[in-house]
């Protein structure tokens, strides 16, 4: 069986490699791309949306529907992971669980100090990245991830109890749902204003300010909330066994 | 030399894709399998970014540049951001399945976990 | 104006999914169920209204109000044609049935299951309605992620976990190949909107052909076409029954729809390699699916392989790139979706009431459930092509369109006969106690799948969706073939489509393809139904046949079945190896013409 598998793969890989070579010869050489879509976006995004970061403008305005789908992919995946890993109420405890030594809080001063320094740094940097998505590289997804790393550092540098106190399951679930539903609601602002879904109907401000680009700022905030809460929930679900026994 | 450089990113993308597939086909460990899927996904990142690159152009962030400066294609970067989130979520899901499979089946080897056949 | 309904199809299910997750545990069960059903119902109504509005041509909705400028589209649009709206409505109806069925299926309130179903619905609606290639990919991934979650829902046994892992790995690998293809097509066209891409595609050289082949690969993985089909049976065996109905009823067909839609929207003339490649794959899929279906004793795997077989039939229709074939394929999808979903619900009811889905172990245990048996048998007859469903109409249209391709017509007939016979055989064994108590094919496959629910009498919330779906299958037979033909012709005209999307021209009004009389179709259906019943009867009564006949059949059937089943090892490495080979074959077939 294994030999058959490798044979099939070898044939397939050779074929795909040949296909790639054939297609690659017709690709424009790296560095000489001239597609219309990108050029028009670069030309108009600053003027039309007052957003200096064109990539964010694309993600949250021109192609905002993609980001709605993407945010809900994250939401669905966290939901699925929670149903896969969370212990159900009707599951019995196994009798042969090994004796569990609760992990003590790290005694090293270096670790605790590092934690104490890193966490506020990460939180503030994360919030900065989220709110300045339209101004500089960053945005809801990237900033949300940085924000979600802060509870992880807390877990590593302190005990599970502390982690649960700052990120209880109810809070993360609520945050995720509010972030996800918030995107849809902000999209509805356009409909309420008599225009289309996800239209940028808020005042646009001046480029370079955090408070600019209309709905892009608020979409970044909701996405940041959803991503931060979602990844924190992922973390807590993966270590749930540990949390359940320690806390 | 410049000819090689102008196709090298595409070749790297193709190589990563095939190597990721090879890893999945010969994997004996579910966590290794998930990482190989991530490698496959990285191939698409390299391909997208290579496609959108323009020599001599800057990043599409006009915070400190005059508007109208030639910038690389912002669209592929936006697509890549979406891509990354998609890949991370699927990886999380597969890893959760791997954790549960290890707990119930005692093994992370796909061959040892095969119960549904035929 | 009804086009304003377009964002509701995606926004409503997503919003209520988030709401259910936030509040689900706190609300009383009935309220949560009603909220989920309401969300599903509103979405179904929106899709149905859009279906009606698209009567005279695609309905276009630009999100964010970002309209194209001088032929360059900057935003994302929904280009809602009848085929897409029809698929979305079918999916919405199936999700409503799944929500109804699952109301009493799980003992405890299941807000997360309902949220996953709603997220899936949003994904498939966006997938069917969008006019942008990357948006198609994003909604494809949303649909897939929700499907993975549904498949792995509360899995605690290794078997279901393995099924979910196979499902997730193969479909994700396919999705990455699709993304590679999208990047290649973007490199050529500089656009992601279908209409704009059609205009800037340039010569059909290796880049375009390989790109298109790779894009189709991911969709064909979802469509469970040979050699990408290995994951389907595992996933169906793993998933709870309400999830199975939407996998077989709408998700597989969505992959096929995407291939048809993309080819129609991007290329004015059929690509030279398209027809032979897809016909070949379609025939292989029909035959493999049918044979494996007949060799199963696990009812859900049996139905899953029958889905594979019917998927091959639809693919043969798509290969022809012809309005009447596409119309036939569309009707086939609708009819098959309703019938297959009803059959899965019956299997779920069997599992609930009798505690098993193993056909051989259930021998005769359903004798006191005549109504369930009647439903199951009716489903089997309809699957074999009995009129007057849309499946019958589609089958006869496809058979007519495939004139000149004798092998394909034979494969389609084989598919109807064998899959219908398998269901009828199972019905006879379980509900009438006929047939030997030994399996019909070598190679094991016995299952001790635990019921997902407490056993007991079947509640109305399980009966009702099955009966409704069969009634819908009959009602679908009233669909106008002429309208379907006109919609299919519109789907195959990229120039008119691009003119409407980018230039604001009014939609085209093509002439519908000539409608052939139903006589030959009725004859063909009579033939397949009788043959299916005969095959089932002969299998069940084989002990009465002369030894020579039995020996002859067994000498052909047993090695073939055993060989095919041996290939289905259930290991993900094998499945991805086949996927790689399949992708290479597709690239080669399209690019080497």
């Amino acid at each position: 069986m294994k030999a058959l598998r490798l044979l099939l793969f070898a044939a397939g890989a050779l074929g795909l490699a040949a296909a790639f070579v054939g297609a690659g010869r017709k690709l424009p050489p790296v560095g000489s791309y001239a597609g219309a879509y990108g050029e028009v976006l670069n030309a108009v995004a600053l003027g039309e949306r007052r957003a200096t970061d064109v990539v964010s403008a694309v993600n949250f305005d021109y192609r905002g529907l993609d980001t709605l789908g993407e945010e809900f992919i994250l939401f669905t995946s966290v939901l699925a992971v929670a149903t896969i890993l969370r212990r159900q109420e009707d599951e019995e405890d196994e009798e042969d669980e090994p004796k569990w030594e609760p992990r003590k809080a790290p005694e090293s001063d270096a670790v605790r100090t590092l934690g104490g320094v890193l966490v506020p740094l990460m939180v503030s940097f994360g919030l900065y990245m989220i709110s300045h998505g339209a101004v500089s590289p960053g945005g809801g997804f990237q900033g949300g991830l940085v924000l979600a790393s802060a509870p992880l550092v807390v877990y590593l540098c302190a005990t599970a109890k502390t982690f649960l106190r700052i990120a209880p399951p109810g809070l993360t679930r609520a945050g995720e749902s509010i972030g996800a539903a918030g995107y849809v609601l902000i999209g509805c602002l356009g409909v309420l204003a008599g225009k289309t879904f996800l239209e940028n109907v808020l005042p646009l401000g001046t480029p370079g300010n955090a408070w600019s680009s209309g709905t892009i700022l608020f979409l970044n905030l909701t996405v940041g909330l959803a991503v931060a809460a979602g990844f924190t929930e992922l973390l807590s679900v993966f270590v749930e066994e540990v949390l359940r026994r320690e806390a | 030399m410049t000819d090689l450089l102008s196709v090298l990113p595409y070749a790297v993308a193709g190589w990563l894709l095939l190597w990721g597939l090879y890893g999945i086909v010969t994997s004996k460990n579910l966590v290794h399998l998930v990482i190989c899927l991530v490698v496959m996904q990285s191939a698409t990142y390299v391909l997208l970014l290579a496609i959108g690159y323009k020599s001599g152009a800057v990043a599409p962030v006009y915070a400190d540049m005059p508007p109208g400066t030639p910038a690389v294609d912002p669209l592929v970067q936006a697509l890549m951001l979406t891509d990354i989130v998609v890949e991370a979520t699927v990886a999380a899901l597969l890893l959760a399945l791997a954790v549960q499979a290890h707990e119930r089946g005692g093994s992370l080897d796909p061959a040892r976990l095969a119960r549904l056949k035929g | 104006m009804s086009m304003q309904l377009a964002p509701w199809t995606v926004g409503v299910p997503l919003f209520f999914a988030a709401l259910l997750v936030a509040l689900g545990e706190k609300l009383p069960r009935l309220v949560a169920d009603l909220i989920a059903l309401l969300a599903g119902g509103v979405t179904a109504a929106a899709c149905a209204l859009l279906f009606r509005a698209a009567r005279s041509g695609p309905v276009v909705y630009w999100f964010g109000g970002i309209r194209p400028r001088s032929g360059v589209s900057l935003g994302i649009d929904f280009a809602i044609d009848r085929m897409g709206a029809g698929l979305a409505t079918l999916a919405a109806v199936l999700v409503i049935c799944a929500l109804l069925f699952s109301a009493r299926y799980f003992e405890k309130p299941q807000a997360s299951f309902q949220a996953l179903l709603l997220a899936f619905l949003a994904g498939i609606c966006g997938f069917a309605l969008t006019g942008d290639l990357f948006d198609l990919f994003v909604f494809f991934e949303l649909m897939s992620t929700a499907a993975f979650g549904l498949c792995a829902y509360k899995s605690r046994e290794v078997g279901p976990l393995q099924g979910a892992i196979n499902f997730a790995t193969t479909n994700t690998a396919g999705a990455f190949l699709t993304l590679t293809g999208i990047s290649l097509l973007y490199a050529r066209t500089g656009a992601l909107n279908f209409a704009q891409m059609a205009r800037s595609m340039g010569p059909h050289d290796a880049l375009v052909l390989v790109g298109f082949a790779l894009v189709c690969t991911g969709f064909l993985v979802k469509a469970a076409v040979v050699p990408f089909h290995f994951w389907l049976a595992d996933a169906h065996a793993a998933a709870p029954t309400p999830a199975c109905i939407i996998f077989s009823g709408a998700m597989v067909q969505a992959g096929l729809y995407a291939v048809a839609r993309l080819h129609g929207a991007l290329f004015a003339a059929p690509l030279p390699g398209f027809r032979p490649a897809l016909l070949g794959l379609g025939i292989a899929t029909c035959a493999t699916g049918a044979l494996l279906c007949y060799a199963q004793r696990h009812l859900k795997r049996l139905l899953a392989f029958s889905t594979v077989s019917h998927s091959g039939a639809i693919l043969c229709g798509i290969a022809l790139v012809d309005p009447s074939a596409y119309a036939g394929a569309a009707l086939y999808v609708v009819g098959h979706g309703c019938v297959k979903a009803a059959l899965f619900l019956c299997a779920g009811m069997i599992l609930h009431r009798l505690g098993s889905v193993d056909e051989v172990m259930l021998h005769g245990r359903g004798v006191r459930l005549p109504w369930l048996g009647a439903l199951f048998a009716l489903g089997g007859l309809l699957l074999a092509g009995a009129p007057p469903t849309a499946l019958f109409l589609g089958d006869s249209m496809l058979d007519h369109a495939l004139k000149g391709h004798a092998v394909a017509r034979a494969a389609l007939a084989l598919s109807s006969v064998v899959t219908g016979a398998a269901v009828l055989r199972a019905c006879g064994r379980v509900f009438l106690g006929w047939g030997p108590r030994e399996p019909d094919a070598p190679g094991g496959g016995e299952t001790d799948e635990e019921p997902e629910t407490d056993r007991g009498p079947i509640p109305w919330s399980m009966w009702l969706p099955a009966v409704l779906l069969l009634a819908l299958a009959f009602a679908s037979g009233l669909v106008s073939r002429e309208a379907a033909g006109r919609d299919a012709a519109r789907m195959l005209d990229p120039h008119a489509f691009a003119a409407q999307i980018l230039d604001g021209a009014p939609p085209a009004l093509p002439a519908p393809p000539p409608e052939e009389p139903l006589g030959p179709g009725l004859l063909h259906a009579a033939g397949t139904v009788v043959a299916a019943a005969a095959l089932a009867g002969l299998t069940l009564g084989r002990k009465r046949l002369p030894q020579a006949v039995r020996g002859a059949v067994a000498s052909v059937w047993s090695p073939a079945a055993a060989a095919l089943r041996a290939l289905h090892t259930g290991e993900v490495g094998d499945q991805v190896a086949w996927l790689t080979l399949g992708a290479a074959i597709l690239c080669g077939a399209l690019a080497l013409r």
Side-chain angles (χ1 to χ4, degrees):
Chain A
M1 263 301 117
K2 199 64 192 298
L4 176 66
R5 183 197 295 192
L6 284 172
L7 197 64
L8 291 170
F9 177 74
L14 276 173
L16 277 181
F20 291 157
V21 168
R25 294 221 310 255
K26 300 287 195 253
L27 277 171
V30 175
S32 62
Y33 186 62
Y37 201 165
E39 301 212 331
V40 175
L41 278 172
N42 273 334
V44 304
L46 181 57
E48 288 184 2
R49 299 286 185 266
R50 312 279 194 277
T52 49
D53 180 12
V54 183
V55 177
S56 273
V58 170
N59 256 336
F60 290 97
D61 192 302
Y62 291 99
R63 298 186 68 90
L65 186 65
D66 274 353
T67 311
L68 172 64
E70 177 193 350
E71 191 188 11
F72 271 92
I73 292 176
L74 176 64
F75 176 82
T76 309
S77 162
V78 172
L79 185 62
V81 169
T83 59
I84 293 171
L85 287 181
R86 275 228 164 92
R87 184 172 276 262
Q88 313 303 324
E89 303 92 45
D90 48 352
E91 283 183 61
E92 303 115 32
D93 282 325
E94 289 153 21
E95 287 94 32
D96 51 347
E97 261 179 24
K99 187 92 176 53
W100 188 265
E101 280 282 318
R103 183 179 66 99
K104 297 202 250 318
E107 288 156 358
S108 154
D109 282 336
V111 172
R112 295 165 65 86
T113 316
L114 200 60
V117 165
L118 275 180
V119 169
L121 207 62
M122 285 171 138
V123 170
S124 47
F125 191 60
L127 288 173
Y128 161 76
M129 272 177 86
I130 295 175
S131 51
H132 286 74
V135 176
S136 53
F141 289 101
Q142 299 93 314
L145 238 85
V146 173
L147 201 54
S149 313
L152 173 58
V153 170
V154 169
Y155 174 73
L156 290 173
C157 299
T159 58
K161 268 212 190 78
T162 327
F163 174 74
L164 274 179
R165 236 184 316 150
I166 57 167
L171 188 64
T172 50
R173 199 146 251 214
E176 216 195 321
S177 308
I178 292 174
Y183 200 108
V184 179
L185 288 176
I186 295 180
C188 290
L189 281 179
V191 175
L192 288 173
K195 300 194 184 156
T196 53
F197 188 69
L198 283 175
E199 186 150 353
N200 199 336
V201 289
L202 294 179
L204 290 173
T206 27
N209 284 356
W211 194 276
S212 66
S213 326
T215 49
I216 296 183
L217 169 65
F218 295 98
L219 290 174
N220 267 306
L221 291 174
T222 53
V223 166
L225 174 63
V227 169
F231 274 94
T232 311
E233 177 155 0
L234 269 182
L235 167 66
S236 68
V237 167
F238 267 102
V239 297
E240 188 201 52
E241 277 300 297
V242 178
L243 286 178
R244 199 176 53 85
R245 292 175 199 172
E246 284 190 12
Chain B
M1 197 57 194
T2 40
D3 275 345
L4 179 63
L5 277 180
S6 63
V7 293
L8 190 62
Y10 300 141
V12 167
W15 171 253
L16 282 174
L17 194 71
L18 291 174
W19 190 249
L21 277 170
Y22 174 72
I24 299 176
V25 167
T26 54
S27 176
K28 292 200 184 53
N29 184 309
L30 282 176
V31 178
H32 169 264
L33 189 142
V34 175
I35 304 295
C36 290
L37 267 178
V38 172
V39 168
M40 263 184 85
Q41 182 71 318
S42 313
T44 58
Y45 304 155
V46 172
L47 183 62
L48 270 174
L49 290 178
I51 286 173
Y53 182 67
K54 293 181 200 163
S55 353
V58 295
V61 179
Y62 288 100
D64 47 0
M65 281 182 323
T69 325
V72 299
D73 190 16
L75 191 69
V76 289
Q77 302 191 7
L79 298 185
M80 216 187 97
L81 277 175
T82 309
D83 217 2
I84 293 176
V85 173
V86 166
E87 170 252 310
T89 57
V90 173
L93 206 112
L94 274 170
L95 285 172
L97 286 170
V99 165
Q100 197 60 270
H102 181 255
E103 198 174 302
R104 305 288 161 173
S107 166
L108 279 176
D109 189 346
R112 299 250 288 272
L113 288 171
R115 302 276 191 279
L116 301 167
K117 295 185 222 256
Chain C
M1 283 211 282
S2 48
M3 77 156 88
Q4 305 299 332
L5 291 170
W8 288 40
T9 57
V10 168
V12 165
L14 288 179
F15 179 77
F16 282 99
L19 194 72
L20 278 172
V21 167
L23 299 177
E25 266 105 53
K26 307 197 182 101
L27 290 171
R29 183 169 189 169
L30 184 62
V31 176
D33 287 347
L34 283 177
I35 291 180
L37 278 171
L38 179 72
V42 168
T43 313
C47 293
L49 286 170
L50 285 168
F51 179 77
R52 211 167 131 258
R55 220 176 10 215
S56 43
V59 174
V60 185
Y61 185 89
W62 288 97
F63 281 85
I66 301 165
R67 303 192 147 265
R69 341 183 163 181
S70 40
V72 175
S73 95
L74 291 183
I76 298 178
D77 68 327
F78 269 10
I80 303 165
D81 64 346
R82 288 260 284 189
M83 304 290 191
L87 179 65
T89 316
L90 174 68
V93 168
L94 290 177
V95 166
I96 292 175
C97 290
L99 283 169
L100 255 182
F101 192 85
S102 63
R104 285 299 159 75
Y105 197 62
F106 299 105
E107 295 153 40
K108 304 236 172 64
Q110 303 292 331
S112 15
F113 192 76
Q114 294 161 337
L116 284 170
L117 277 174
L118 287 175
F120 179 91
L121 179 59
I124 199 170
C125 284
F127 184 78
L129 303 179
T130 188
D132 181 285
L133 188 55
F134 193 73
D135 202 40
L136 190 75
F137 174 74
V138 170
F139 281 112
F140 180 70
E141 281 297 301
L142 177 59
M143 182 173 77
S144 303
T145 310
F148 303 154
L150 287 168
C151 180
Y153 195 72
K154 303 270 175 80
S155 300
R156 293 293 179 259
E157 302 295 315
V158 178
L161 285 170
Q162 173 211 350
I165 291 173
N166 290 350
F167 182 19
T169 311
T170 47
N171 278 268
T172 307
F176 292 166
L177 288 174
T178 294
L179 190 56
T180 309
I182 293 177
S183 315
L184 292 176
L185 289 178
Y186 176 72
R188 164 55 51 88
T189 59
L192 291 170
N193 184 286
F194 291 163
Q196 197 185 339
M197 284 176 86
R199 281 192 176 161
S200 41
M201 192 62 80
H204 296 169
D205 55 4
L207 180 61
V208 169
L209 295 170
V210 169
F212 184 68
L214 286 175
V215 170
C216 286
T217 304
F219 297 135
L220 290 178
V221 172
K222 187 62 97 208
V225 166
V226 162
F228 311 115
H229 69 287
F230 294 88
W231 62 270
L232 188 74
D234 298 340
H236 277 74
T241 308
C244 290
I245 75 170
I246 60 176
F247 289 173
S248 265
M251 190 176 75
V252 162
Q253 288 76 7
L256 294 165
Y257 166 76
V259 172
R261 178 94 192 272
L262 278 174
H263 190 277
L266 296 178
F267 304 111
L271 293 175
F274 193 70
R275 180 196 300 209
L278 261 60
L279 266 182
L281 287 180
I283 293 171
T285 310
C286 273
T288 315
L291 290 174
L292 280 163
C293 169
Y294 211 70
Q296 299 296 318
R297 50 191 277 185
H298 186 308
L299 285 178
K300 281 160 72 173
R301 279 179 82 91
L302 186 152
L303 292 172
F305 276 115
S306 83
T307 302
V308 170
S309 187
H310 288 278
S311 174
I314 301 169
L315 191 66
C316 286
I318 292 177
L320 296 177
V321 194
D322 164 70
S324 56
Y326 273 38
L331 292 175
Y332 200 103
V333 163
V334 171
H336 171 262
C338 295
V339 174
K340 188 52 66 66
L343 283 171
F344 266 109
L345 290 180
C346 290
M349 287 193 268
I350 291 174
L351 182 58
H352 176 79
R353 186 76 175 81
L354 300 174
S356 170
V357 276
D358 188 320
E359 183 190 334
V360 174
M361 302 226 285
L362 282 171
H363 189 279
R365 285 177 45 197
V367 180
R368 262 166 287 156
L369 297 170
W371 292 111
L372 187 52
L375 269 182
F376 203 64
L378 184 59
L381 289 171
L382 292 181
L383 204 63
T389 65
L391 182 56
F392 151 71
L393 284 178
D395 201 21
S396 71
M397 286 175 84
L398 281 179
D399 190 55
H400 178 83
L402 282 167
K403 263 199 175 36
H405 297 96
V407 180
R409 291 178 72 185
L412 254 73
L414 182 77
S415 166
S416 301
V417 168
V418 174
T419 55
V423 174
L424 289 172
R425 177 198 81 196
C427 188
R429 209 186 233 117
V430 172
F431 293 100
L432 292 170
W434 289 350
R437 283 177 190 267
E438 52 201 41
D440 302 316
E446 56 276 347
T447 170
D448 52 359
E449 178 163 325
E450 292 284 303
E452 297 148 348
T453 63
D454 272 345
R455 294 178 47 183
I458 302 174
W460 67 269
S461 63
M462 290 195 189
W463 275 112
L464 186 61
V467 171
L468 273 179
L469 282 169
L470 282 176
L472 204 61
F474 280 112
S476 65
L478 298 169
V479 167
S480 154
R481 288 181 293 154
E482 188 200 334
R486 187 173 284 131
D487 300 322
R490 245 188 238 118
M491 199 174 166
L492 289 171
D493 185 359
H495 295 307
F497 180 69
Q500 185 192 355
I501 303 279
L502 295 175
D503 307 329
L509 191 67
E515 203 173 293
E516 79 278 3
L518 269 181
L522 282 170
L523 222 57
H524 175 83
T528 51
V529 171
V530 166
L535 180 55
L538 284 172
T539 314
L540 289 176
R542 63 173 179 265
K543 290 269 158 73
R544 305 215 195 124
L545 291 176
Q547 179 64 32
V549 175
R550 278 162 62 192
V553 170
S555 65
V556 170
W557 167 245
S558 294
L564 271 179
R565 295 186 75 173
L567 281 177
H568 288 68
T569 57
E571 286 180 47
V572 68
D574 289 325
Q575 301 184 357
V576 175
W578 282 105
L579 190 153
T580 317
L581 182 64
I585 291 176
L586 204 55
C587 287
L590 278 178
L592 287 176
R593 286 273 174 151

